[in-house]
């Protein structure tokens, strides 16, 4: 999405990839700022406090800063008039959307579910909280398990951990996560735990090719479609509008629903 917007709008786009590590994101922001670009797009995973001084320095230098994927609500309020917007999911509602899909797929009151997520990560944890809260309000017994930073950066490490969990909790009816790297691995977890496809209700996030294949095969129940293309395209558009025309930051909730066996072919 970002590449397409840059091509359409004539923007020189420089990409950085952090492997989802907050400290790496902050270090890359410093590198980006040193290059004195017109605009920097950031993801909100490090949190408002961690980014506060860095964003203040960038804005003071005349650099537009905007965000995607995970919100930085405090900074957006402070700098919205200078182009700080957000393209991404209302995270709590995104988790709730995923939860409702799992309930529609047959998860019911009294069932036990594992929610494997980033509950302690500030705004980012709202997605997992929205999912767990919505299931609990429906009477599902949710075990909230915090994801380590090691797993966060290397999702493959989640597989043996989740297999062991299923072996220790054989009455688990569902596994859910709001981590796009862990989601496509859930069918592998099922297989290694000796579970048949469809035996557990699986819910996740994003449309990784492996995740889409699992939805088509019926082994993945639902995955939140954040429409990540928009999360790339819209911030580049925001940069152009704010740098050239001084437009303020706009907010777009990019999540429209979930990918499920019912709509996967059409989508």
């Amino acid at each position: 999405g970002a590449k397409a917007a840059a091509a359409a709008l004539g923007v020189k786009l420089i990409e950085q990839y952090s492997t989802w590590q907050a400290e790496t994101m902050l270090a890359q922001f410093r590198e980006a700022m040193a290059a004195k670009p017109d605009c920097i797009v950031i993801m909100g995973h490090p949190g408002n406090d961690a980014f506060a001084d860095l964003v203040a320095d960038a804005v003071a230098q005349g650099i537009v800063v905007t965000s995607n994927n995970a919100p930085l609500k405090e900074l957006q309020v402070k700098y919205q008039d200078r182009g700080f917007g957000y393209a991404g999911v209302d995270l709590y509602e995104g988790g709730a959307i995923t939860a409702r899909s799992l309930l529609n797929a047959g998860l019911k009151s009294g069932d036990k579910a594992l929610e494997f997520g980033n509950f302690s990560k500030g705004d980012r944890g709202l997605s997992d909280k929205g999912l767990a809260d919505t299931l609990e309000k429906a009477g599902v017994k949710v075990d909230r398990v915090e994801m380590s930073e090691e797993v966060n950066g290397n999702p493959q490490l989640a597989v043996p951990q989740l297999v062991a969990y299923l072996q220790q909790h054989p009455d688990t009816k569902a596994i859910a996560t709001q981590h796009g790297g862990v989601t496509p691995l859930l069918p592998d977890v099922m297989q290694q735990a000796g579970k048949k496809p469809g035996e557990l209700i699986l819910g996740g996030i994003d449309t990784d090719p492996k995740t889409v294949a699992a939805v088509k095969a019926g082994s993945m129940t639902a995955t939140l479609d954040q429409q990540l293309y928009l999360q790339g395209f819209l911030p580049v558009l925001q940069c152009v509008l704010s740098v050239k025309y001084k437009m303020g930051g706009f907010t777009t909730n990019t999540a429209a629903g979930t990918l499920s066996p019912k709509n996967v072919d059409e989508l």
Side-chain angles (χ1 to χ4, degrees), residues 61-128:
Q61 294 178 36
I63 299 171
V64 173
V65 181
T66 189
S67 67
N68 68 354
N69 191 254
L72 292 161
K73 295 177 181 177
E74 294 174 19
L75 294 179
Q76 186 177 358
V77 169
K78 189 171 184 179
Y79 300 112
Q80 190 165 6
D81 62 335
R82 281 172 266 186
F84 198 118
Y86 174 61
V89 180
D90 177 320
L91 293 185
Y92 189 91
E93 177 58 21
I97 289 172
T98 308
R100 288 193 287 270
S101 291
L102 303 185
L103 294 169
N104 291 336
L107 194 63
K108 60 185 184 300
S109 178
D111 285 345
K112 294 183 179 179
L114 164 65
E115 169 61 17
F116 187 58
N118 289 284
F119 294 98
S120 66
K121 299 295 192 298
D123 284 346
R124 186 186 179 192
L126 290 174
S127 189
D128 292 298

Side-chain angles (χ1 to χ4, degrees), residues 99-220:
R100 288 193 287 270
S101 291
L102 303 185
L103 294 169
N104 291 336
L107 194 63
K108 60 185 184 300
S109 178
D111 285 345
K112 294 183 179 179
L114 164 65
E115 169 61 17
F116 187 58
N118 289 284
F119 294 98
S120 66
K121 299 295 192 298
D123 284 346
R124 186 186 179 192
L126 290 174
S127 189
D128 292 298
K129 291 174 184 175
L131 201 161
D133 287 352
T134 303
L135 291 182
E136 287 173 346
K137 288 175 184 176
V140 177
K141 299 176 182 177
V142 180
D143 190 2
R144 304 182 184 213
V145 176
E146 183 77 18
M147 187 181 301
S148 68
E149 271 303 301
E150 289 75 20
V151 170
N152 195 37
N154 185 3
Q156 286 285 347
L157 297 175
V159 174
Q161 184 177 347
L162 293 175
V163 170
Y165 181 93
L166 288 178
Q167 292 171 341
Q168 295 165 8
H169 303 83
D171 55 347
T172 300
K173 299 295 184 182
I175 301 177
T177 184
Q178 292 288 272
H179 190 291
V182 173
T183 296
L185 302 175
L186 294 182
D188 296 339
V189 171
M190 288 269 290
Q191 184 179 24
Q192 292 186 30
K195 302 287 186 179
K196 297 177 181 178
E199 190 174 342
L200 292 183
I201 292 174
L202 302 179
I205 190 169
D206 293 344
T207 51
D208 177 275
K210 191 174 178 181
T211 300
V212 174
V215 172
K216 286 186 175 184
S219 56
M220 178 77 67

Side-chain angles (χ1 to χ4, degrees), residues 207 212 215-216 225 227 258-267:
T207 51
V212 174
V215 172
K216 286 186 175 184
D225 184 5
Q227 303 190 111
T258 58
L259 194 71
S260 73
K262 293 181 180 180
N263 63 14
V264 63
D265 288 331
E266 181 183 9
L267 291 179

